[in-house]
């Protein structure tokens, strides 16, 4: 295990205090905020959350072999590994800034309404083929996820990919200033969180803030035709950064030609400022091809060897709940698992994907899209054309999806229930051999129940 945090670095980063008895052999080989996943040698940071308090788990962290434990409340434990700070969340942020400052590789920040994790994962596959790459775990993109990712960044890495998220105005800039990206990618501006943000222009303005954290000479990357493009142009110019539009027109600095989509993925010819070549993406869907173009543009802006990056990208596969396809119900039915989350754009992308991959009947199972506030009714009903174009039978659950369900032609109406628990057996009973079923909904709509019910037989086989 390589040393990530020495005693001296922890003290310098946090201005904290170890007990006077502490010897110099504090050695942090990782950083943890959760004792359930803590590995021996991790620096455990006792964060206080709304529902949990890490200070209650200090003894467990020490017992599990934490290299050091960072606290700001008395926790009734005396141990030379305990580092006292004024505030543990601030200490995590301080560690993030310290780790960022000693990192000499290329830093990428990815933000956007949808597709952040997909682009981040595509990019890290591409970069890992070129050099040691550190990246955000899962969707670690918020006020603790971003600093945790940075605090874990080894100084020796060649590349780092951070995901930066937001629900409210003003969240992007402080996180972006901590990340200090050399390359900033904005995946999409779409109506996710529209209820909290108020307007599409406000969403675009907020996403464009990431460009304010670029250095002069840095690179911003946006998809061609992005909503609120003027905000991106303005902020990139203010930062003295170059802005690359990525699209399918030769007018874009980065563009793709010869796009072909099939049930396994997409292929295209990529044209970058100093490189051109064939690309294969093993994740189906037009949106995944678009994500891949952004990821490759970012790899190029990092100075990566593009032949290697393209080979690395080919090893990317969609994650659970983000478009992974499985055979279920004794191999009779194809399940397109999109249950991780939903927003208007990602539901459209998933419906498009259903139309692309299905060979038999196309079944859409849709749960409510949340956080749309007063726009909810309109945004749900506006899915009608995409649903009619890509599904033969539609099952819905939740009060918002009821408004869509009621406007469907009766031939498409499979069934509606208030909760996903009731919908799951209904969907299962309706499926026939050769069907393709796509399940999608916001995390809070708990569409995972439907996926679990469809996977029931397969899970039993797995356990046998
Ligand atoms: N460019 C895109 N356009 C529309 N939908 C997309 C796009 N990229 C990914 N998706 C879909 O959106 C959903 C979320 O994808 P992903 O996890 O990559 O987004 P995210 O921005 O990281 O989300 P979160 O804010 O929850 O972290 C998935 O269902 C995925 O298939
Ligand atoms: Mg994410």
């Amino acid at each position: 295990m390589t040393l990530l945090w020495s005693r001296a670095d922890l003290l310098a980063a946090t201005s904290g205090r170890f007990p006077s008895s502490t010897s110099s052999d504090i050695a942090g080989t990782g950083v943890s905020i959760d004792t359930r996943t803590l590995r021996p040698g991790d620096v455990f940071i006792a964060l206080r959350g709304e529902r949990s308090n890490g200070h209650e788990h200090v003894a467990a962290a020490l017992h599990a072999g934490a290299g050091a434990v960072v606290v700001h409340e008395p926790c009734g434990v005396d141990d030379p590994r305990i580092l006292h700070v004024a505030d543990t969340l601030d200490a995590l942020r301080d560690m993030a800034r310290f780790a960022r400052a000693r990192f000499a590789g290329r830093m990428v920040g990815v933000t956007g309404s949808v597709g952040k994790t997909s682009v981040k994962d595509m990019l890290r596959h591409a970069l890992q083929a070129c050099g040691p790459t550190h990246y955000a775990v899962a969707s670690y993109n918020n006020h603790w996820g971003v600093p945790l990712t940075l605090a874990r960044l080894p100084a020796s890495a060649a590349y780092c990919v951070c995901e930066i998220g937001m629900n409210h105005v003003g969240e992007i800039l402080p996180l972006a200033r901590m990340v200090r990206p050399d390359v900033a990618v904005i995946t999409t501006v779409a109506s996710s969180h529209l209820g909290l943000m108020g307007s599409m222009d406000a969403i675009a303005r907020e996403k464009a803030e990431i460009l304010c954290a670029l250095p002069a000479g840095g690179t911003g990357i946006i998809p061609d035709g992005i909503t609120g493009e003027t905000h991106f142009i303005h902020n990139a110019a203010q930062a003295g950064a170059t802005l690359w539009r990525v699209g399918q027109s030769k007018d874009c600095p980065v563009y793709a030609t010869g796009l072909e989509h099939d049930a396994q993925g997409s292929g295209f010819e990529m044209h970058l400022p100093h490189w051109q070549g064939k690309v294969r993406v093993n994740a189906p869907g037009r949106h995944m091809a678009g994500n891949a173009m952004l990821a490759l543009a970012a790899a190029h802006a990092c100075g990566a060897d593009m032949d290697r990056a393209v080979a690395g990208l080919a090893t990317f596969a969609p994650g659970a709940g983000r478009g992974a396809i499985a055979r279920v119900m004794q191999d009779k039915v194809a399940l397109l698992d999109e249950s991780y989350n939903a927003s208007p754009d990602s539901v459209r992308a998933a419906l498009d994907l259903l139309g692309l991959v299905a060979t038999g009947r196309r079944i859409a199972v849709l749960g409510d899209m949340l956080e749309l506030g007063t726009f909810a009714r309109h945004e749900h009903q506006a899915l009608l054309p995409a649903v009619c174009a890509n599904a033969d039978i539609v099952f819905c659950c939740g009060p918002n999806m009821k408004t869509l369900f009621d406007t469907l032609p009766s031939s498409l109406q499979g069934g509606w229930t208030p909760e996903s628990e009731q919908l799951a057996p209904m969907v299962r009973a309706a499926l026939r051999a050769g069907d393709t079923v796509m399940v999608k909904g916001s995390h809070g709509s708990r569409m995972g129940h439907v996926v679990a019910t469809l996977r029931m037989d397969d899970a039993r086989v797995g356990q046998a």
Side-chain angles (χ1 to χ4, degrees):
M1 278 285 183
T2 22
L3 179 68
L4 186 65
W5 284 100
S6 68
R7 179 182 197 274
D9 285 349
L10 274 176
L11 287 172
T14 65
S15 314
R17 268 180 307 109
F18 278 111
S20 49
S21 59
T22 306
S23 64
S24 60
D25 61 355
I26 292 285
T29 47
V31 181
S32 166
I33 58 167
D34 187 336
T35 51
R36 291 167 298 184
T37 49
L38 183 139
R39 285 168 307 185
D42 280 352
V43 176
F44 175 70
I45 304 177
L47 295 182
R48 192 180 236 299
E50 274 166 29
R51 287 183 296 267
S52 62
N53 184 357
H55 293 90
E56 289 165 13
H57 305 285
V58 167
L62 292 166
H63 183 71
V69 173
V70 185
V71 300
H72 68 237
E73 288 176 13
C75 39
V77 187
D78 187 22
D79 192 287
R81 290 171 289 171
I82 294 185
L83 175 67
H84 291 269
V85 297
D87 180 87
T88 48
L89 182 58
D90 284 340
L92 176 61
R93 292 185 180 124
D94 290 339
M95 288 168 67
R97 285 187 203 96
F98 189 93
R100 173 63 185 99
R102 68 185 175 184
F103 169 69
R106 305 290 285 168
M107 176 67 78
V108 186
V110 181
T111 193
S113 300
V114 281
K116 296 181 288 297
T117 298
S118 302
V119 169
K120 183 252 313 177
D121 282 339
M122 286 179 172
L123 181 56
R124 63 113 168 151
H125 276 262
L127 292 176
Q128 275 173 325
C130 305
T133 304
H134 179 72
Y135 54 91
V137 173
S139 273
Y140 281 15
N141 64 27
N142 62 4
H143 66 285
W144 58 261
V146 174
L148 182 58
T149 301
L150 290 173
R152 288 171 168 173
L153 169 61
S156 59
Y159 306 102
C160 177
V161 190
C162 288
E163 177 171 333
I164 301 178
M166 60 127 208
N167 291 332
H168 299 91
V169 174
E171 284 174 343
I172 296 274
L173 192 57
L175 294 175
R177 289 225 162 103
M178 199 181 284
V179 170
R180 293 201 283 119
D182 301 298
V183 177
V185 184
I186 298 94
T187 59
T188 45
V189 168
S191 52
S192 330
H193 314 304
L194 185 56
L196 298 165
M197 296 296 295
S199 73
M200 291 294 282
D201 194 63
I203 295 175
R205 214 175 319 120
E206 179 66 19
K207 308 285 183 219
E209 294 275 279
I210 193 174
L211 301 177
C212 302
L214 283 174
T219 309
I221 295 171
I222 55 172
D224 190 28
I226 194 168
T227 301
E229 192 180 47
T230 49
H231 296 300
F232 299 95
I233 294 170
H234 177 265
N235 288 4
Q238 287 279 306
T242 307
L243 189 65
W244 284 355
R245 275 179 303 115
V246 179
Q248 291 175 52
S249 141
K250 291 194 169 110
D251 301 336
C252 297
V254 175
Y255 64 97
T257 53
L259 265 151
E260 282 173 5
H261 306 285
D262 56 46
Q264 279 73 46
S266 303
F268 51 87
E269 181 88 13
M270 186 92 198
H271 304 258
L272 291 154
H274 306 290
W275 186 90
Q276 180 179 333
K278 287 211 175 312
V279 174
R280 175 74 198 168
V281 188
N282 292 313
R286 278 168 262 266
H287 61 303
M288 286 299 188
N291 290 341
M293 292 172 204
L294 295 170
L296 287 177
H300 190 56
C302 285
D305 176 322
M306 289 313 292
D307 292 323
R308 288 188 186 190
V310 166
L313 174 72
T315 62
F316 168 86
R322 287 188 190 79
I325 302 177
R327 302 288 312 175
V328 295
M329 297 178 66
Q330 287 141 7
D331 211 24
K332 295 194 188 91
V333 169
L335 168 66
L336 187 46
D337 180 3
E338 284 275 352
S339 61
Y340 162 73
N341 218 340
S343 59
D345 268 38
S346 70
V347 173
R348 283 191 185 86
L351 286 164
D352 192 55
L353 186 53
L354 175 63
L356 192 68
V357 304
T359 45
R361 291 194 312 168
R362 303 163 302 172
I363 321 284
V365 185
L366 302 172
D368 274 0
M369 303 181 292
L370 305 177
E371 296 189 7
L372 293 169
T374 53
F375 302 90
R377 191 182 168 80
H378 173 260
E379 291 288 342
H380 282 78
Q381 284 181 345
L383 294 173
L384 187 65
V387 170
C388 292
N390 293 293
D392 301 305
I393 305 180
V394 183
F395 291 88
C396 292
C397 86
N400 292 327
M401 277 297 170
K402 181 89 166 69
T403 66
L404 172 69
F405 189 78
D406 288 344
T407 58
L408 287 173
S410 57
S411 58
L412 258 65
Q413 287 180 325
W416 174 86
T417 62
E419 303 284 345
S420 62
E421 285 88 341
Q422 301 147 336
L423 194 69
M426 197 188 276
V427 174
R428 192 179 157 91
L431 290 174
R432 298 204 300 251
D435 287 349
T436 299
V437 55
M438 184 275 287
V439 183
K440 187 142 192 88
S442 277
H443 200 62
S445 303
R446 303 187 299 138
M447 299 304 285
H449 275 293
V450 178
V451 171
T453 303
L454 300 183
R455 284 177 165 270
M456 222 154 57
D457 313 322
D458 313 274
R460 278 203 206 106
V461 171
Q463 281 160 17

